[in-house]
């Protein structure tokens, strides 16, 4: 392996739980009793899929574009501090990968502004040789394009890249990109059966380099 490509949400930061709780809260505030199972359908996808789900369920008296602006304002007011929800052993793992001469990429379905904010608040921006947002692509994971592009930017063949994911859609995207995939255990029982390796702690990925 010459490169490791990380997902962000649920892998580097424990954000999936936070996002789900807040989106369920948003729906309750707007008259719809959103269930966890419903929110699970958009885990690992681009943020536009979350917008669509919330818009469909809450049926707001506004058009979709206005709704997105309204939701973004509501979410921004929450003032998330990503540094407080960074997963264990992230910095130590990234540091060791650098010591081993590995290229490090990030391929997240989140919008770029959110990715950069999270990396900055966690103090890990400098470790990444490439950072890619799902906003750059027409199709979300499980489409493999985001991982194929990441490998190209890192200058590594796909078969020499290791993907670290947690969601079923992200894992499938890595597999379809012809990369080895490590699945980090997550609390929502995503189907991780397609992954080549399974770990409970991020530092364990070093065993597969």
């Amino acid at each position: 392996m010459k490169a490791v490509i990380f997902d962000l949400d649920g892998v580097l930061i424990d954000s999936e739980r936070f996002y789900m709780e807040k989106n369920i809260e948003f729906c309750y505030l707007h008259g719809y009793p959103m269930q966890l199972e419903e929110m699970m359908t958009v885990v690992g996808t681009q943020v536009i899929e979350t917008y669509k789900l919330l818009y469909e369920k809450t049926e707001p008296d506004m058009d979709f574009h206005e709704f997105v602006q309204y939701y973004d304002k509501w979410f921004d007011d929450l003032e998330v501090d990503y540094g407080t929800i960074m997963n264990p052993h992230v910095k130590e793992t990234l540091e060791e990968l650098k010591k081993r001469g590995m290229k490090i990429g990030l391929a997240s379905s989140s919008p770029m502004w959110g990715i950069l904010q999270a990396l900055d608040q966690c103090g890990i921006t400098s470790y990444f040789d490439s950072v890619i947002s799902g906003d750059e692509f027409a199709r979300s994971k499980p489409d493999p394009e985001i991982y194929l592009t990441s490998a190209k930017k890192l200058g590594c063949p796909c078969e020499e890249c290791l993907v670290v994911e947690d969601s079923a859609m992200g894992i499938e995207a890595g597999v379809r990109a012809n990369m080895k995939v490590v699945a980090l255990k997550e609390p929502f029982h995503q189907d991780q059966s397609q992954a080549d390796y399974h770990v409970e702690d991020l530092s364990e990925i070093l065993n597969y380099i």
Side-chain angles (χ1 to χ4, degrees):
M1 293 296 164
K2 302 293 177 58
V4 180
I5 307 173
F6 291 90
D7 178 39
L8 176 65
D9 296 303
V11 173
L12 298 180
I13 54 176
D14 185 19
S15 53
E16 299 286 19
R17 188 194 316 272
F18 176 83
Y19 294 152
M20 285 192 186
E21 289 175 352
K22 293 306 176 183
N23 285 330
I24 289 172
E25 177 185 338
F26 177 87
C27 288
Y28 270 98
L29 290 173
H30 294 81
Y32 180 76
M34 178 71 80
Q35 301 300 308
L36 178 61
E37 292 74 16
E38 294 174 285
M39 285 306 310
M40 288 287 294
T41 62
V42 294
V43 173
T45 64
Q46 293 170 336
V47 69
I48 187 66
E49 301 303 326
T50 298
Y51 291 143
K52 289 177 181 178
L53 178 64
L54 299 179
Y55 185 75
E56 173 191 341
K57 297 300 184 181
T58 59
E59 300 181 329
D61 187 21
M62 62 184 80
D63 66 31
F64 183 70
H65 178 69
E66 291 173 323
F67 173 78
V68 169
Q69 292 181 318
Y70 172 76
Y71 172 86
D72 282 348
K73 175 62 168 59
W74 178 84
F75 188 86
D76 287 346
D77 288 343
L78 298 177
E79 298 183 351
V80 184
D81 182 357
Y82 292 103
T84 65
I85 57 173
M86 184 166 61
N87 276 332
H89 306 128
V90 169
K91 285 188 178 180
E92 297 94 323
T93 301
L94 294 173
E95 185 68 35
E96 181 60 28
L97 290 173
K98 281 297 184 185
K99 287 180 180 178
R100 298 187 187 188
M102 305 291 292
K103 292 286 187 178
I104 303 177
L106 185 73
S108 169
S109 296
S110 294
M112 184 60 82
W113 65 265
I115 295 171
L116 297 179
Q117 182 182 40
L119 295 181
D120 179 63
Q121 290 183 357
C122 292
I124 56 176
T125 305
S126 62
Y127 290 103
F128 292 91
D129 301 293
S130 171
V131 176
I132 299 179
S133 164
D135 284 351
E136 301 173 35
F137 306 96
R139 294 179 297 276
S140 184
K141 299 174 185 179
D143 188 279
E145 187 176 8
I146 190 170
Y147 280 120
L148 296 173
T149 302
S150 185
K152 185 176 181 180
K153 287 194 172 186
L154 292 171
C156 294
C158 291
E159 58 271 19
E160 295 180 359
C161 295
L162 184 72
V163 166
V164 187
E165 272 281 2
D166 66 319
S167 72
M169 291 188 182
I171 291 168
E172 182 178 342
V175 170
R176 290 174 62 186
N178 195 33
M179 300 177 181
K180 293 293 184 181
V181 180
V182 175
L184 179 65
K185 186 177 180 180
E186 49 80 46
F188 301 110
H189 309 294
Q190 289 273 303
D191 180 5
Q192 298 183 330
S193 59
Q194 290 191 71
D196 298 283
Y197 315 110
H198 298 81
V199 299
E200 296 192 12
D201 183 277
L202 205 60
S203 64
E204 295 176 45
I205 71 169
L206 298 170
N207 298 327
Y208 304 106
I209 303 300

